[in-house]
Amino acid sequence: EAEVAQSPRYKITEKSQAVAFWCDPISGHATLYWYRQILGQGPELLVQFQDESVVDDSQLPKDRFSAERLKGVDSTLKIQPAELGDSAMYLCASSLGRGISPLHFGNGTRLTVT
Amino acid sequence: AQSVAQPEDQVNVAEGNPLTVKCTYSVSGNPYLFWYVQYPNRGLQFLLKYITGDNLVKGSYGFEAEFNKSQTSFHLKKPSALVSDSALYFCAVREGYSSASKIIFGSGTRLSIRP
């Protein structure tokens, strides 16, 4: 079964440093999501792409976070500068983007900011 | 705005007994409802969804969910629990049929099955 690939799996960085996460969705999936999951809580949507266009980034802290999906395939989420409160699991998900198709999640990147 | 609530942080059940994980939702239009499961240090896995039709939806690993429009609930159920069912379960709601519609997740319920 095809999977959503994410890297790195774990990342430790010092506050004020820059960090980037990469996601490769399932081939043919038009919709890509980045979620942040704080330990013990549900995933919170950061940004949603339809092909290469952003359709929702209302919860993305734009002063420090940026996301792109230039060719409508893989995507990068960047944080600059990282803050202690950014420590969380960052999950990427994709879906066909047609009808009510379920989300397929990657295994996430666990970020620790020290 | 849509919302979803999972009133129980943890549910404890003995192996072989039936289990229920509760979920209630709030949307202004037609609800599209999902259940996902998460194992430690992994992403979420899709279990089942409700779009329309039969109020009892069957999904993966023997799980099913009952949609109740009047109570705005979508409880996850399984007739006989397994120790391997122990995990974190999330209910999610999507408001709208458009692919641009936002999907909101509940806070999660930790299911613990004792042998």
Side-chain angles (χ1 to χ4, degrees):
Chain A
E1 183 177 322
E3 296 182 347
V4 175
Q6 287 189 251
S7 65
R9 191 79 173 85
Y10 302 92
K11 180 70 178 179
I12 300 174
T13 191
E14 294 182 347
K15 63 180 180 180
S16 79
Q17 296 299 304
V19 64
F21 313 131
W22 177 79
C23 172
D24 191 12
I26 294 172
S27 178
H29 280 197
T31 310
L32 185 146
Y33 311 78
W34 283 101
Y35 283 88
R36 176 171 58 187
Q37 185 180 23
I38 295 170
L39 194 63
Q41 298 182 19
E44 172 196 6
L45 180 68
L46 292 175
V47 61
Q48 179 177 339
F49 290 91
Q50 182 69 22
D51 299 310
E52 68 277 6
S53 300
V54 173
V55 296
D56 189 335
D57 64 355
S58 57
Q59 300 302 311
L60 188 71
K62 298 182 187 64
D63 58 334
R64 297 186 301 109
F65 286 65
S66 64
E68 62 182 16
R69 192 184 184 198
L70 291 176
K71 296 182 179 180
V73 182
D74 59 338
S75 176
T76 302
L77 178 69
K78 297 179 181 177
I79 308 175
Q80 182 173 16
E83 296 181 352
L84 295 177
D86 296 333
S87 295
M89 175 78 89
Y90 290 82
L91 294 166
C92 178
S94 68
S95 72
L96 280 170
R98 296 193 302 272
I100 309 297
S101 48
L103 271 59
H104 297 260
F105 283 83
N107 285 327
T109 295
R110 182 166 295 284
L111 174 67
T112 302
V113 182
T114 63
Chain B
Q2 75 236 56
S3 65
V4 58
Q6 294 181 243
E8 303 156 315
D9 290 336
Q10 178 141 352
V11 170
N12 300 308
V13 177
E15 186 176 29
N17 283 0
L19 68 88
T20 298
V21 182
K22 296 179 180 178
C23 171
T24 59
Y25 66 91
S26 174
V27 298
S28 57
N30 291 324
Y32 302 105
L33 298 155
F34 305 82
W35 275 101
Y36 289 82
V37 60
Q38 186 177 33
Y39 297 99
N41 293 314
R42 303 293 296 273
L44 282 67
Q45 296 178 32
F46 169 73
L47 280 179
L48 50 81
K49 66 180 178 181
Y50 172 82
I51 300 176
T52 186
D54 195 348
N55 289 341
L56 187 64
V57 179
K58 295 188 182 297
S60 305
Y61 312 120
F63 284 93
E64 56 191 26
E66 186 171 11
F67 172 68
N68 187 315
K69 187 173 183 178
S70 62
Q71 297 185 3
T72 62
S73 67
F74 188 57
H75 300 333
L76 182 70
K77 301 181 178 184
K78 188 173 183 180
S80 178
L82 300 173
V83 172
S84 57
D85 292 331
S86 298
L88 196 52
Y89 290 80
F90 292 96
C91 183
V93 64
R94 173 173 165 176
E95 185 175 53
Y97 195 81
S98 164
S99 58
S101 300
K102 185 183 295 187
I103 299 171
I104 302 296
F105 286 84
S107 57
T109 298
R110 185 165 300 281
L111 179 63
S112 178
I113 310 298
R114 60 184 183 275

